[in-house]
Amino acid sequence: MDGAGSLYHFLKTGKRSRPLEPRSGSGRERNAAKATLQGFEQIGEFTFRRRRRVPSPLSVPAHETLLFTGTTPGDLLFFDTESTGLSGGAGNTIFLLGIGRPEGEELVIEQYFLADFPGEKEFLSACLSLFSPNRLLVSYNGRTFDAPVLAARFALHRLSCPLPRHCDLLPPTRRLWKHTVGSCSLKNIERAVLGVKRENDVDGAEVPERYFRYLRSRDPRHLDEVVTHNEIDVLSLSRLLGVLERLRREPEHAQAPATAPADVSALAALVAPHDAERAFKLLEVGLASGDIRAGLSLGFRYKQCGRQAEAQRVFERLFEIRGDLTAGIEIAKYAEHRARDPERALSVVTALLDRRPRPEPPVRELLLYRKARLERKCIRF
DNA sequence: TTTCACGATGGGACCATAAC
DNA sequence: GTTATGGTCCCATCGTGAAA
């Protein structure tokens, strides 16, 4: 069999009999290469840290509680990682972890860098101090990606998982802007909503390859753009939360012309749990401006609250201005089952069947069934 | 009083989509 | 390329009201 430094030996004894060989160059050369990673200080054999202060883009006073997160800014940790791939399994290693902490008017951005795989435990241990349990992690798709990968790495090294509560900004962002922006990747949202355009940015898919190139060559220039990419991600999280907070506080001023407008229905859903009447007003304004989605949302909200008359007023308006199918069906249901007016219901259903474009077959069949029933009722009356 | 038809609601399955 | 999440759609079940 092979020698004492082999995988066989490691599996049999659980010990590594001699240290891993450097991939290239002497130890002195490797350290020289490490030292040139822009602005980073060495805090362990394989772990490096960079700390920078920038004006906080969050623009919420330190003592105020954010409506969106229920915490003060000082409790937030904006969080993003760069790793060697996408899979959540044992093969995916985090090599750069960026954390943003609001401190007064500033955002303190700390980045922890892992210079080589053997130092992962040391790297993770250095990151541990960041995650105090009373904090709130803020990420973009971090609930699905960053947090599970990080938790897996902690587990692999038998370190207790310290991750605190988590607020993922992707779901609310998607709800608010998917209809107006389309793809809700962070880069797209930066451009369309935050008004930020990245210069010379590295594509996320390119990040693993950049790290592997660095490991092979020990040339830290391969990682300069990755480090910047990570820092911008953290900054954008802070900016995005600021926008979401403003929407939550002043939804009426959400439709700023400089950025993509938020979907009014989603905005109303954001506000409704705390201020139902404000949500109704938002949707009324949306309907008045011709927003059909807002109108339907308004009608169903009124209906769900038992405010049938208001719901019918909204559905009638939608049916009148656009001959809307969903609104028409709601009018027909109300006329048949509540107002006891089968003739009105029949006239609406007939109009829906005649409208252009024709309803699709499954809906058309339901409408024909409803029409036949209403015709029987009309004869009886 | 029983039966039937309808609308409302909840749960499960499937799909799209972010992250590197 | 992987994975989990949220959203959407469909189906089953339940409650209600009308008709026999």
Side-chain angles (χ1 to χ4, degrees):
Chain A
M1 211 56 192
D2 50 9
S6 69
L7 177 63
Y8 173 81
H9 177 83
F10 176 76
L11 290 172
K12 194 170 180 183
T13 63
K15 293 175 184 169
R16 184 178 287 132
S17 59
R18 59 172 181 258
L20 289 176
E21 293 296 324
R23 283 159 210 273
S24 68
S26 67
R28 186 176 292 180
E29 280 169 342
R30 291 183 69 200
N31 281 334
K34 286 175 190 171
T36 59
L37 201 61
Q38 278 185 348
F40 278 76
E41 55 167 334
Q42 188 160 12
I43 59 170
E45 190 184 354
F46 292 96
T47 308
F48 293 75
R49 183 180 61 194
R50 181 169 87 167
R51 187 177 288 161
R52 309 221 306 184
R53 288 174 176 273
V54 296
S56 174
L58 189 56
S59 62
V60 176
H63 62 278
E64 271 190 40
T65 299
L66 283 93
L67 298 174
F68 197 81
T69 59
T71 66
T72 59
D75 293 327
L76 300 171
L77 285 179
F78 300 102
F79 156 74
D80 183 53
T81 65
E82 310 303 323
S83 68
T84 58
L86 272 181
S87 67
N92 189 13
T93 305
I94 291 170
F95 66 86
L96 183 63
L97 186 141
I99 286 277
R101 281 183 290 115
E103 267 187 25
E105 305 281 297
E106 293 181 318
L107 185 70
V108 180
I109 300 179
E110 284 189 297
Q111 288 172 292
Y112 285 74
F113 173 67
L114 168 65
D116 206 346
F117 296 126
E120 191 183 16
K121 188 168 186 178
E122 171 201 279
F123 165 78
L124 292 171
S125 301
C127 297
L128 267 174
S129 60
L130 297 167
F131 300 112
S132 60
N134 54 343
R135 298 278 192 159
L136 180 74
L137 281 181
V138 180
S139 70
Y140 203 76
N141 201 30
R143 208 195 299 268
T144 299
F145 182 74
D146 304 75
V149 173
L150 194 56
R153 302 318 296 179
F154 278 117
L156 205 71
H157 290 282
R158 299 173 185 270
L159 294 167
S160 64
C161 179
L163 296 183
R165 294 171 301 142
H166 197 151
C167 171
D168 191 333
L169 299 186
L170 171 62
T173 301
R174 224 183 229 159
R175 279 194 291 271
L176 284 164
W177 285 289
K178 74 175 171 186
H179 294 289
T180 52
V181 173
S183 164
C184 289
S185 67
L186 186 56
K187 203 183 272 189
N188 246 9
I189 291 297
E190 280 172 1
R191 186 185 46 74
V193 177
L194 306 178
V196 172
K197 191 174 183 306
R198 297 195 189 203
E199 302 287 343
N200 305 321
D201 186 45
V202 59
D203 188 66
E206 226 184 285
V207 167
E209 176 54 27
R210 294 278 188 123
Y211 187 58
F212 293 131
R213 249 188 271 163
Y214 157 78
L215 289 177
R216 283 194 299 272
S217 67
R218 293 294 161 188
D219 182 350
R221 283 173 300 183
H222 292 305
L223 292 172
D224 283 348
E225 284 165 354
V226 175
V227 170
T228 306
H229 170 90
N230 178 259
E231 189 179 58
I232 295 174
D233 277 358
V234 172
L235 264 171
S236 290
L237 282 172
S238 171
R239 277 201 195 96
L240 181 57
L241 181 60
V243 169
L244 291 169
E245 179 66 15
R246 277 196 294 284
L247 287 183
R248 182 60 194 77
R249 288 178 184 224
E250 296 180 64
E252 296 80 6
H253 303 119
Q255 313 302 321
T259 58
D263 180 75
V264 178
S265 310
L267 199 56
L270 183 72
V271 173
H274 314 276
D275 192 343
E277 286 309 313
R278 203 171 192 181
F280 283 126
K281 270 186 204 157
L282 278 170
L283 293 168
E284 290 280 9
V285 172
L287 173 62
S289 69
D291 185 335
I292 300 298
R293 284 173 45 77
L296 285 172
S297 180
L298 178 64
F300 283 113
R301 268 184 192 278
Y302 276 138
K303 186 183 174 188
Q304 215 156 28
C305 296
R307 292 160 71 167
Q308 286 290 346
E310 285 153 302
Q312 282 305 302
R313 169 181 57 79
V314 171
F315 290 133
E316 290 280 3
R317 171 134 184 79
L318 289 169
F319 186 59
E320 183 187 302
I321 59 175
R322 289 279 290 269
D324 187 81
L325 182 65
T326 308
I329 291 172
E330 288 303 315
I331 294 166
K333 280 184 192 174
Y334 182 81
E336 181 184 357
H337 298 290
R338 292 194 174 250
R340 311 270 177 247
D341 186 354
E343 286 176 0
R344 165 71 178 143
L346 181 59
S347 76
V348 171
V349 170
T350 306
L352 289 175
L353 282 163
D354 290 342
R355 76 196 268 278
R356 306 279 173 184
R358 296 265 190 218
E360 292 296 312
V363 179
R364 187 171 172 76
E365 280 159 25
L366 286 172
L367 285 171
L368 287 168
Y369 183 75
R370 190 182 291 274
K371 187 183 178 195
R373 185 177 72 238
L374 286 165
E375 281 171 341
R376 286 196 300 275
K377 282 192 181 180
C378 285
I379 291 165
R380 263 188 256 132
F381 278 87

